[in-house]
Amino acid sequence: MAQAHWGCCPWLVLLCALGAWGHPKSVDLTAEDVRNCLISPPYLPVTVVNTTAQLTALRQQMHIQNLFAYIIPETDAHMSEYIGTRDKRRAWMTGFTGSAGTAVVTMGKAGLWTDSRYWTQAERQMDCNWELHKEVDTASIVVWLLTEVPAGKRVGFDPFLFSIGSWESYNMALMNSNIKLVSITPNLVDQAWGSEKPLVLSQPIYVLQEAFTGNTWQKKVSDIRSQMQKHPQAPTAVLLSALDETAWLFNLRGSDIPYNPFFYSYTLLTDSSIRLFVNRSCLNSETLKYLNSSCTGSMCVQVEDYSQVRHNVQAYASGNVKIWIGTSYTTYGLYEVIPTEKLIEDTYSPVMVTKAVKNSKEQALLRASHVRDAVAVIRYLVWLEKNVPKGTVDEFSGAELLNKFRGKEQFSSGPSFETISASGLNAALAHYSPTKELHRKLSSDEMYLLDSGGQYWDGTTDITRTVHWGTPSAFQKEAYTRVLIGNIDLSRLVFPANTSGRMMEVFARRALWDVGLNYGHGTGHGIGNFLCVHEWPVGFQYNNIPMAKGMFTSIEPGYYQDGEFGIRLEDVALVVEAKTKYPGSYLTFEVVSLVPYDRNLIDVSLLSPEQLQYLNHYYQTIREKVGPELQQRQLLEEFEWLQQHTEPLSAKAPHTAPLASLLAVSSLAILGCRV
Amino acid sequence: MAQAHWGCCPWLVLLCALGAWGHPKSVDLTAEDVRNCLISPPYLPVTVVNTTAQLTALRQQMHIQNLFAYIIPETDAHMSEYIGTRDKRRAWMTGFTGSAGTAVVTMGKAGLWTDSRYWTQAERQMDCNWELHKEVDTASIVVWLLTEVPAGKRVGFDPFLFSIGSWESYNMALMNSNIKLVSITPNLVDQAWGSEKPLVLSQPIYVLQEAFTGNTWQKKVSDIRSQMQKHPQAPTAVLLSALDETAWLFNLRGSDIPYNPFFYSYTLLTDSSIRLFVNRSCLNSETLKYLNSSCTGSMCVQVEDYSQVRHNVQAYASGNVKIWIGTSYTTYGLYEVIPTEKLIEDTYSPVMVTKAVKNSKEQALLRASHVRDAVAVIRYLVWLEKNVPKGTVDEFSGAELLNKFRGKEQFSSGPSFETISASGLNAALAHYSPTKELHRKLSSDEMYLLDSGGQYWDGTTDITRTVHWGTPSAFQKEAYTRVLIGNIDLSRLVFPANTSGRMMEVFARRALWDVGLNYGHGTGHGIGNFLCVHEWPVGFQYNNIPMAKGMFTSIEPGYYQDGEFGIRLEDVALVVEAKTKYPGSYLTFEVVSLVPYDRNLIDVSLLSPEQLQYLNHYYQTIREKVGPELQQRQLLEEFEWLQQHTEPLSAKAPHTAPLASLLAVSSLAILGCRV
């Protein structure tokens, strides 16, 4: 799917960077819906939050710390894609609840920087304490700081909410100025929030059953240690900051943040010890035993309190050690306590890179979850086909029903992200999700885009289908078919091992480019086994690692006609060995998402014989894998639907019909038969 | 073409980095051909150069400068692709004349670092004073220095032979060591060489006639100054170090280095002055007048001596100025005299980026040079077709004849690089060029690869064709056709404006990948108007700038079967606007190289109808553009050959024959006709 915000898997950041998606236009706003700070007194709609008290409290804290400005990003200490309530500091400060944006407060002013998707929302939610800056890059914040902050004054930030990269950006930009950038702990918004900050309830951490794991945690730990030993710079430890790194390493799961089964944690894995930093009260005695937490050997996990990580890492770094980190997910809060000469910096930690390649058991698990996920999606599509014409379905209730269908599947553990259920023009909006209050009715006259996924104990899923139940326009059919061709061309590509996804994603665009169309987002992302739905570092972006056998990635070209409709066709695919005519190390994709595309929207005449053959082969696979599952579950109506929707497509006569069939037709005509 | 060494247009570096091309195997060497330093006394073949005197002289200079080691790269002060005799310092020091490699001399040892293409040559040319290191990266030199150089000692280098990038690499690697990296001028090899160093004769610098230039130098200067004014960091000057930058800016040419019509020069273009650093004696009074060199206004060129550039830039940098440089072509020799805060660093200077986009006059000039170049290549191909079967042609004499044909063309100014004329297995070697002594006979039983180009006053050309005059194997035909498909697929690609070449070059590989084949070099490079044959920053590499209308690039996929044959099909193409079905800013290529491919090697059944249509359209263009030129010049045999070789190709019946023609055949059969 194509929804997320800055963080662990910076998916949407990349989408927006391409900038082709339009601004929200589906909601008809009047002047009364948004604030007007230019008149006196200012006009404030009821949706606005009065933030004067918050600002006063924060400025008191800033005064104590001798700060003139304070930067408040919307992230957590693990660069997570989804953040928990306790980390929604910027939302509390500003009133603005959008998932992307940075606030900066000075002693006299306050500003919010966010991208075009959120400009209207910000004007509806923020009071006139706040300036809205319609930019998102650090440079623009720095320019503002240089104007607003007097020479010699200090600008503070919480180092646990700054990636190493963002710290470097601010630091470089302010280095030769008269302003001093100061790392301050604890977080000043938390200090200001005080007792009003919602209590974070401790969620239990549980062990994933062995049936759902690729290896025991002991095997994984040994594997990472073996990589440490082979490393030319001889690291003595690996420090893990991303939540999925620790969850994967120990085969543990939790529910501290939405959509991802994670718990707040860090790991310091050294050559002779394993230190797990968590809220200890979330581990029951069985889990502690599972972790060998009562012993002290190299294969015993020492459970330390989450809050002690910085102190503990700093103490470890005082020894004769080398700490191996992945810079993408380590915050400046830990980075700054490790002397540079004791760091080994890679973009991704060895755990991140190892996790990216699924072993055969993990592959089988992920495949199985996709079969059941297909059942849920097909049930929903069959239901829509019957109910949309009645005019009783809307985007929100539809998404809820889909969640119910997924919930009935074995090992289900909720959605893997907020469903994008978008009808008509709403599907052309990046990041759109319906709400109970704001949604559109589904109609046979409009296209409907459904991008959704599930968490299952065996795997995480993510699939997008676009459908039309009535008569699509010629342009809609052409655009849909060209998106489909892109999906097919990339899925069936044969490429040398270790090719970067970035280099091959153009195959998903060529059929659109041919006629002057394109899409403004990335073409795919990795996915986990009951982990992140956007699992880095696999995918087709500039910062992804080369493709290797055993990786899973989504393939999701699209097309968006601003104000009219949106198309996206997304499948998850496994990277497998390709059998080539001449020997060599070549790879290709095996699609594991198993839901047919909409026949109503395919213009077969645009497909080459090879594309058509690929598509029919894929349909055959769907029949073989999903058909028996439907039959076994007595979902006979769905089975019938599946058979109809996977009927082999044929090139339309006379344009590309084989000669033999044409001759057959004419013979029959001679004999007076009707065909 | 795919030949060059480290420097101005680092083309071969990129080729080698991909590492798919094999080691030289065509020359059968015996133990007597190479040195043996393991026996006592060592065995030295006659090809070896005794370098004891050179080393003694250099070590004396190093002693005076208190250096323990000295680094000697093979480049010039302008990071040129081809270097003049005066810059062949490493060759003089080591005896090794290969175009790529770095020497390092310590007080006790001497080492040469070079890549696999040159290992044998180095063993044949170097005496036992020298260790051969079969690596090329800075890291490997640094590791050696850290072992060989005692703590506290100094390692020297000539800053004019270090790019900013290579200085940064060495500096970073040695920063925390006990060894000090020291920039030393003048060059110590020159000091050691002394009076024995060949005298550099001053070559005249001449004005390119207005008919061959895109704009007057005054217009170009104004344009660059206007870019300075618009730049947010307000540069006061642009410093140009690459030889083609100054040549292009002033429409001047020279002949100081091989293959490129350049003269040693720098330019410091400020907001109020123009300083040209050259050997003043190479400018005649007419040229001085052309440059307005007798006045002092902002549009008057102050001619300064070449040797004064460092002093002059340093003096200028002491003022309240900002100097805009392209880091790719500026050496550390100038970089180190400009304070960091007075630098504006881009990868490429504004002149480099402006020059990359040819205006309509420059486009017409380059196109015209390619028509005449096609005539020369076609004359050679026709001649080969008649003479190769006689067994009288070899790679070297063939290349010489081609040079003669090019020399007869209007505005000819010599070859644009050393011709790759390679028969059979030699074509599978990277960087192969025949010599008078070492070459292979051309044969009707082998494939022949010809990669060559010319310099003309109106344009620079570069084209590769591969031919077979006998019966190619099925594999050779398949490989050739797949290379051709790659060339066609990339040439006819429609892509959004500003797409990076790096992202689209996979279209040139897909048909090869499909069956497990590939090539280990880049897919193309920019080209100039009587300038560099490898003109950066245009092309399909990671360090090229995005494609824009008016750029020229080569498109040159290949396939190399080690020890057997090599295929490359290279054309030069202009980036033009594409007319798409739906409106948008889209581009495509227009191929300007106009020589047909070898019909004998094309398996038409592998081409899609679209590819076939493209190819026939290209052939039609060749007929229209080259045909009249041949007729006008009474080259009637060549005209006849062209007609034959551009006859439209058709898909073979019955596989893809249109129904209508099949029906026609059967009707005729019924009527008893023979077809």
Side-chain angles (χ1 to χ4, degrees):
Chain A
M1 71 97 166
Q3 184 190 37
H5 66 79
W6 185 270
C8 141
C9 318
W11 184 230
L12 199 68
V13 175
L14 291 158
L15 302 189
C16 296
L18 286 159
W21 282 4
H23 305 173
K25 284 186 191 165
S26 67
V27 180
D28 291 326
L29 288 166
T30 65
E32 280 149 38
D33 292 321
V34 295
R35 65 177 187 173
N36 185 350
C37 301
L38 298 175
I39 54 173
S40 181
Y43 171 73
L44 297 175
V46 290
T47 45
V48 150
V49 177
N50 182 338
T51 59
T52 304
Q54 286 91 308
L55 282 166
T56 306
L58 178 64
R59 286 182 178 129
Q60 276 169 4
Q61 295 297 328
M62 287 162 59
H63 181 74
I64 294 167
Q65 297 287 346
N66 189 24
L67 297 178
F68 191 85
Y70 190 67
I71 305 170
I72 310 158
E74 186 82 341
T75 185
D76 70 7
H78 309 275
M79 303 289 110
S80 301
E81 178 170 14
Y82 305 104
I83 60 172
T85 316
R86 74 174 201 181
D87 287 307
K88 297 196 166 166
R89 298 179 182 91
R90 195 226 52 223
W92 177 75
M93 274 307 304
T94 63
F96 164 65
T97 58
S99 68
T102 300
V104 182
V105 176
T106 68
M107 291 314 271
K109 284 192 178 178
L112 174 84
W113 281 254
T114 192
D115 67 78
S116 60
R117 295 170 296 155
Y118 293 112
W119 295 341
T120 305
Q121 185 178 343
E123 299 280 14
R124 298 181 70 194
Q125 297 185 317
M126 296 197 306
D127 66 14
C128 293
N129 284 308
W130 294 88
E131 295 175 1
L132 173 60
H133 294 267
K134 298 181 171 182
E135 283 164 303
V136 286
D137 54 325
T138 307
S140 123
I141 298 177
V142 164
V143 167
W144 189 80
L145 284 171
L146 289 171
T147 319
E148 296 297 334
V149 181
K153 296 289 183 185
R154 289 155 40 107
V155 177
F157 68 97
D158 177 350
F160 280 96
L161 300 183
F162 265 49
S163 69
I164 298 172
S166 49
W167 173 76
E168 279 172 349
S169 300
Y170 281 103
N171 189 49
M172 282 283 284
L174 295 174
M175 196 186 275
N176 294 323
S177 74
N178 286 318
I179 301 174
K180 199 167 152 55
L181 190 66
V182 193
S183 160
I184 301 271
T185 55
N187 188 285
L188 296 199
V189 176
D190 287 353
Q191 307 283 92
W193 212 338
S195 59
E196 277 180 53
K197 182 167 177 171
L199 257 182
V200 180
L201 291 177
S202 297
Q203 300 294 320
I205 299 169
Y206 57 95
V207 179
L208 194 59
Q209 294 168 47
E210 204 183 325
F212 302 114
T213 64
N215 271 313
T216 62
W217 69 257
Q218 287 89 344
K219 172 78 177 59
K220 291 177 178 177
V221 162
S222 300
D223 178 34
I224 301 301
R225 281 196 177 134
S226 140
Q227 292 185 47
M228 287 160 61
Q229 279 160 13
K230 285 177 196 152
H231 195 291
Q233 290 175 264
T236 61
V238 168
L239 174 61
L240 306 176
S241 294
L243 298 184
D244 61 338
E245 293 178 316
T246 292
W248 176 85
L249 186 65
F250 296 107
N251 296 322
L252 293 176
R253 298 293 188 272
S255 43
D256 285 344
I257 60 172
Y259 304 117
N260 290 153
F262 302 152
F263 51 97
Y264 292 115
S265 56
Y266 293 96
T267 299
L268 183 67
L269 172 63
T270 81
D271 41 16
S272 58
S273 68
I274 312 168
R275 306 185 205 180
L276 170 63
F277 300 86
V278 287
N279 183 338
R280 203 187 165 97
S281 69
C282 298
L283 296 167
N284 64 23
S285 60
E286 213 173 321
T287 309
L288 288 169
K289 197 176 161 196
Y290 161 85
L291 292 169
N292 296 341
S293 68
S294 57
C295 56
T296 53
S298 68
M299 292 306 285
C300 307
V301 179
Q302 299 167 40
V303 178
E304 312 268 359
D305 194 68
Y306 178 81
S307 63
Q308 293 305 303
V309 66
R310 179 159 146 132
H311 176 71
N312 207 304
V313 167
Q314 189 163 25
Y316 179 76
S318 67
N320 181 23
V321 298
K322 282 256 183 196
I323 306 176
W324 191 3
I325 62 164
T327 51
S328 293
Y329 293 89
T330 309
T331 65
Y332 189 65
L334 295 183
Y335 186 77
E336 68 174 337
V337 301
I338 308 173
T340 313
E341 68 275 14
K342 296 187 178 179
L343 273 171
I344 299 172
E345 299 178 42
D346 277 330
T347 310
Y348 302 105
S349 80
V351 164
M352 214 55 145
V353 175
T354 304
K355 175 165 61 63
V357 175
K358 274 68 174 168
N359 66 24
S360 56
K361 187 178 168 196
E362 288 164 333
Q363 290 173 25
L365 288 166
L366 249 168
R367 271 204 190 92
S369 69
H370 278 81
V371 173
R372 298 195 311 282
D373 196 67
V375 171
V377 175
I378 288 169
R379 290 181 74 177
Y380 179 53
L381 291 175
V382 171
W383 184 88
L384 286 177
E385 206 167 291
K386 287 190 296 185
N387 289 282
V388 168
K390 298 179 192 160
T392 55
V393 191
D394 68 60
E395 296 166 334
F396 186 74
S397 65
E400 287 205 313
L401 181 65
L402 175 62
N403 283 347
K404 272 187 202 152
F405 282 131
R406 276 210 171 87
K408 286 178 186 170
E409 293 301 316
Q410 208 178 10
F411 313 138
S412 170
S413 188
S416 59
F417 58 94
E418 190 176 6
T419 298
I420 300 176
S421 165
S423 183
L425 77 179
N426 284 345
L429 302 174
H431 204 54
Y432 175 81
S433 284
T435 61
K436 205 170 176 178
E437 297 75 31
L438 272 177
H439 51 251
R440 191 176 178 89
K441 195 169 273 187
L442 270 58
S443 152
S444 298
D445 299 328
E446 289 191 330
M447 289 175 94
Y448 172 61
L449 186 154
L450 175 74
D451 185 350
S452 68
Q455 289 288 9
Y456 304 89
W457 294 346
D458 44 357
T460 307
T461 68
D462 184 1
I463 184 168
T464 310
R465 288 295 179 266
T466 307
V467 286
H468 195 301
W469 299 278
T471 309
S473 71
F475 179 54
Q476 286 173 332
K477 277 187 82 162
E478 176 175 2
Y480 183 95
T481 308
R482 290 186 181 276
V483 171
L484 177 60
I485 291 174
N487 182 310
I488 291 174
D489 279 355
L490 185 52
S491 298
R492 70 187 196 92
L493 183 71
V494 173
F495 54 93
N498 286 315
T499 302
S500 128
R502 177 71 172 161
M503 275 192 69
M504 56 175 95
E505 67 108 53
V506 286
F507 288 102
R509 300 180 187 270
R510 192 197 47 83
L512 289 162
W513 285 359
D514 261 355
V515 291
L517 307 179
N518 200 3
Y519 54 94
H521 56 76
T523 296
H525 54 79
I527 193 163
N529 280 79
F530 193 32
L531 290 166
C532 271
V533 70
H534 300 138
E535 187 176 85
W536 242 243
V538 173
F540 296 97
Q541 317 296 338
Y542 72 95
N543 60 354
N544 291 132
I545 59 175
M547 291 288 176
K549 189 183 149 187
M551 290 176 171
F552 280 81
T553 179
S554 75
I555 291 177
E556 47 180 307
Y559 175 71
Y560 308 89
Q561 186 70 25
D562 201 21
E564 295 186 27
F565 63 87
I567 298 164
R568 189 161 57 253
L569 296 176
E570 175 187 24
D571 295 299
V572 171
L574 166 63
V575 180
V576 295
E577 271 175 15
K579 281 179 196 135
T580 50
K581 183 173 175 184
Y582 304 105
S585 187
Y586 283 77
L587 304 172
T588 189
F589 297 105
E590 178 195 321
V591 172
V592 300
S593 300
L594 297 164
V595 177
Y597 308 109
D598 188 358
R599 299 169 87 81
N600 193 24
L601 281 162
I602 301 176
D603 178 353
V604 181
S605 74
L606 291 176
L607 300 182
S608 73
E610 294 80 12
Q611 288 153 356
L612 195 59
Q613 189 187 4
Y614 171 91
L615 184 58
N616 285 333
H617 181 261
Y618 172 57
Y619 278 6
Q620 184 58 32
T621 306
I622 295 178
R623 283 185 170 189
E624 286 164 12
K625 297 203 168 163
V626 183
E629 186 80 16
L630 293 171
Q631 284 181 302
Q632 199 186 327
R633 311 250 298 265
Q634 296 292 315
L635 295 167
L636 300 182
E637 191 182 357
E638 284 78 5
F639 179 77
E640 194 52 43
W641 182 94
L642 186 71
Q643 294 301 107
Q644 279 170 22
H645 283 73
T646 52
E647 200 58 46
L649 290 156
S650 62
K652 279 179 192 161
H655 181 55
T656 45
L659 183 60
S661 67
L662 282 181
L663 292 178
V665 168
S666 50
S667 311
L668 290 172
I670 292 162
L671 295 170
C673 296
R674 272 204 258 166
V675 265
Chain B
M1 70 98 165
Q3 184 191 33
H5 68 80
W6 185 270
C8 139
C9 319
W11 183 230
L12 198 67
V13 174
L14 290 158
L15 302 190
C16 295
L18 286 160
W21 282 5
H23 305 172
K25 284 187 192 163
S26 67
V27 181
D28 291 326
L29 287 166
T30 66
E32 280 149 39
D33 292 321
V34 295
R35 65 176 187 174
N36 185 350
C37 302
L38 297 174
I39 54 172
S40 180
Y43 171 73
L44 299 174
V46 291
T47 45
V48 149
V49 177
N50 183 338
T51 59
T52 304
Q54 286 90 310
L55 283 166
T56 306
L58 177 65
R59 286 182 179 132
Q60 278 170 2
Q61 296 297 327
M62 287 161 60
H63 180 75
I64 294 166
Q65 297 287 346
N66 189 24
L67 297 178
F68 191 84
Y70 190 67
I71 304 169
I72 309 157
E74 186 82 342
T75 185
D76 71 7
H78 309 276
M79 301 290 111
S80 300
E81 179 171 12
Y82 305 104
I83 60 171
T85 315
R86 74 174 202 182
D87 286 308
K88 296 195 169 168
R89 298 180 183 90
R90 196 227 51 224
W92 177 75
M93 274 308 303
T94 62
F96 165 66
T97 57
S99 68
T102 300
V104 182
V105 176
T106 68
M107 291 315 269
K109 284 191 178 176
L112 174 83
W113 280 254
T114 192
D115 67 77
S116 61
R117 294 170 296 155
Y118 293 113
W119 295 343
T120 305
Q121 185 179 343
E123 298 282 12
R124 297 181 72 193
Q125 297 184 318
M126 295 198 306
D127 65 13
C128 292
N129 283 307
W130 294 88
E131 295 174 3
L132 173 61
H133 293 268
K134 297 180 170 182
E135 286 165 302
V136 286
D137 53 325
T138 307
S140 125
I141 298 177
V142 165
V143 166
W144 189 81
L145 285 171
L146 290 171
T147 316
E148 297 297 332
V149 181
K153 296 289 182 184
R154 292 155 38 109
V155 176
F157 68 97
D158 177 350
F160 280 96
L161 300 184
F162 266 48
S163 69
I164 298 172
S166 49
W167 174 76
E168 280 172 348
S169 298
Y170 281 103
N171 188 50
M172 283 283 283
L174 294 174
M175 196 186 273
N176 295 321
S177 75
N178 286 318
I179 300 175
K180 200 168 153 52
L181 190 65
V182 194
S183 160
I184 300 271
T185 54
N187 187 285
L188 296 200
V189 177
D190 287 352
Q191 306 284 93
W193 210 338
S195 60
E196 277 179 52
K197 182 167 177 171
L199 259 181
V200 181
L201 291 176
S202 298
Q203 301 293 320
I205 299 169
Y206 57 94
V207 179
L208 193 60
Q209 294 169 46
E210 204 182 324
F212 303 115
T213 64
N215 271 312
T216 62
W217 70 256
Q218 287 88 344
K219 171 80 176 60
K220 291 178 179 178
V221 161
S222 300
D223 177 34
I224 300 301
R225 280 197 177 131
S226 140
Q227 292 185 46
M228 287 161 60
Q229 278 159 14
K230 285 176 196 153
H231 194 291
Q233 291 175 263
T236 60
V238 167
L239 174 61
L240 306 176
S241 294
L243 298 185
D244 61 337
E245 293 178 315
T246 292
W248 175 85
L249 186 65
F250 296 107
N251 297 322
L252 294 176
R253 298 294 187 271
S255 43
D256 285 344
I257 60 170
Y259 303 118
N260 289 154
F262 302 152
F263 51 96
Y264 293 114
S265 55
Y266 295 96
T267 299
L268 183 68
L269 172 64
T270 81
D271 42 15
S272 59
S273 69
I274 312 167
R275 305 185 206 180
L276 170 63
F277 300 86
V278 285
N279 183 337
R280 205 187 164 98
S281 69
C282 298
L283 296 167
N284 63 24
S285 59
E286 212 173 320
T287 310
L288 288 169
K289 196 175 163 197
Y290 161 84
L291 291 170
N292 297 341
S293 68
S294 57
C295 57
T296 53
S298 69
M299 291 307 282
C300 308
V301 179
Q302 299 166 37
V303 179
E304 312 269 359
D305 194 68
Y306 179 80
S307 63
Q308 294 305 302
V309 65
R310 180 159 147 132
H311 176 73
N312 207 303
V313 168
Q314 190 164 25
Y316 179 76
S318 68
N320 181 22
V321 298
K322 282 256 184 195
I323 306 176
W324 190 3
I325 61 164
T327 51
S328 293
Y329 293 90
T330 309
T331 66
Y332 189 66
L334 296 183
Y335 186 77
E336 68 174 338
V337 301
I338 309 171
T340 313
E341 69 275 15
K342 297 187 178 177
L343 272 171
I344 298 172
E345 299 179 41
D346 276 330
T347 310
Y348 302 105
S349 79
V351 164
M352 214 55 144
V353 175
T354 304
K355 176 166 61 64
V357 174
K358 274 69 175 168
N359 66 23
S360 57
K361 186 176 170 200
E362 289 163 331
Q363 290 174 24
L365 288 167
L366 249 167
R367 271 205 191 90
S369 70
H370 278 81
V371 173
R372 297 195 313 282
D373 195 66
V375 171
V377 175
I378 288 169
R379 291 181 74 176
Y380 179 53
L381 290 175
V382 171
W383 183 87
L384 285 177
E385 206 167 292
K386 287 189 294 183
N387 289 281
V388 169
K390 297 178 194 162
T392 54
V393 190
D394 68 59
E395 296 166 335
F396 186 74
S397 65
E400 287 205 312
L401 181 66
L402 175 63
N403 282 347
K404 270 187 205 151
F405 282 130
R406 276 211 171 88
K408 286 178 185 169
E409 293 301 317
Q410 208 178 10
F411 312 139
S412 170
S413 187
S416 60
F417 57 94
E418 190 177 6
T419 297
I420 299 177
S421 165
S423 183
L425 77 180
N426 283 346
L429 302 175
H431 204 52
Y432 174 82
S433 283
T435 61
K436 204 170 178 180
E437 296 75 32
L438 274 177
H439 51 251
R440 191 177 178 88
K441 195 169 272 185
L442 268 58
S443 152
S444 298
D445 299 329
E446 290 192 331
M447 289 176 93
Y448 172 63
L449 187 155
L450 176 75
D451 185 350
S452 67
Q455 289 287 10
Y456 304 90
W457 294 347
D458 44 356
T460 308
T461 68
D462 184 2
I463 183 169
T464 309
R465 287 295 180 264
T466 306
V467 285
H468 195 303
W469 299 279
T471 309
S473 71
F475 178 55
Q476 286 173 332
K477 277 187 83 162
E478 177 176 3
Y480 183 96
T481 308
R482 291 186 180 277
V483 171
L484 176 61
I485 291 173
N487 181 309
I488 290 174
D489 279 356
L490 184 52
S491 298
R492 70 190 198 89
L493 182 72
V494 173
F495 55 91
N498 285 316
T499 302
S500 129
R502 177 72 172 162
M503 275 191 69
M504 57 175 93
E505 68 109 51
V506 287
F507 289 103
R509 299 180 189 270
R510 191 198 49 82
L512 289 162
W513 286 359
D514 261 354
V515 291
L517 308 179
N518 200 2
Y519 54 93
H521 56 77
T523 296
H525 53 81
I527 193 164
N529 280 78
F530 193 32
L531 290 166
C532 270
V533 70
H534 300 138
E535 188 176 85
W536 242 243
V538 173
F540 297 96
Q541 316 297 337
Y542 73 95
N543 59 353
N544 292 132
I545 60 175
M547 290 288 176
K549 188 181 150 189
M551 289 177 173
F552 281 81
T553 179
S554 75
I555 290 178
E556 48 179 307
Y559 175 72
Y560 308 90
Q561 185 71 25
D562 201 19
E564 296 186 28
F565 63 86
I567 298 163
R568 188 161 58 253
L569 296 176
E570 176 187 22
D571 294 300
V572 170
L574 166 63
V575 181
V576 296
E577 270 175 17
K579 280 178 195 137
T580 50
K581 183 172 174 184
Y582 303 105
S585 185
Y586 284 77
L587 303 172
T588 189
F589 297 104
E590 178 196 321
V591 173
V592 300
S593 301
L594 297 165
V595 177
Y597 308 109
D598 187 358
R599 299 169 86 80
N600 193 25
L601 281 162
I602 301 175
D603 178 353
V604 180
S605 74
L606 292 176
L607 301 181
S608 73
E610 294 79 12
Q611 287 153 356
L612 196 60
Q613 190 187 5
Y614 171 90
L615 185 58
N616 285 333
H617 181 261
Y618 171 57
Y619 278 5
Q620 184 58 35
T621 306
I622 295 179
R623 282 185 171 188
E624 285 165 10
K625 297 203 168 161
V626 183
E629 186 81 17
L630 292 172
Q631 284 181 303
Q632 199 187 328
R633 310 251 295 266
Q634 297 290 313
L635 294 167
L636 300 184
E637 190 181 356
E638 284 77 5
F639 179 76
E640 193 51 44
W641 181 95
L642 185 71
Q643 294 300 108
Q644 279 171 23
H645 284 74
T646 52
E647 200 56 45
L649 289 156
S650 63
K652 280 180 193 161
H655 182 57
T656 45
L659 184 59
S661 65
L662 283 180
L663 292 177
V665 168
S666 51
S667 312
L668 290 172
I670 293 162
L671 295 171
C673 297
R674 272 203 259 168
V675 265

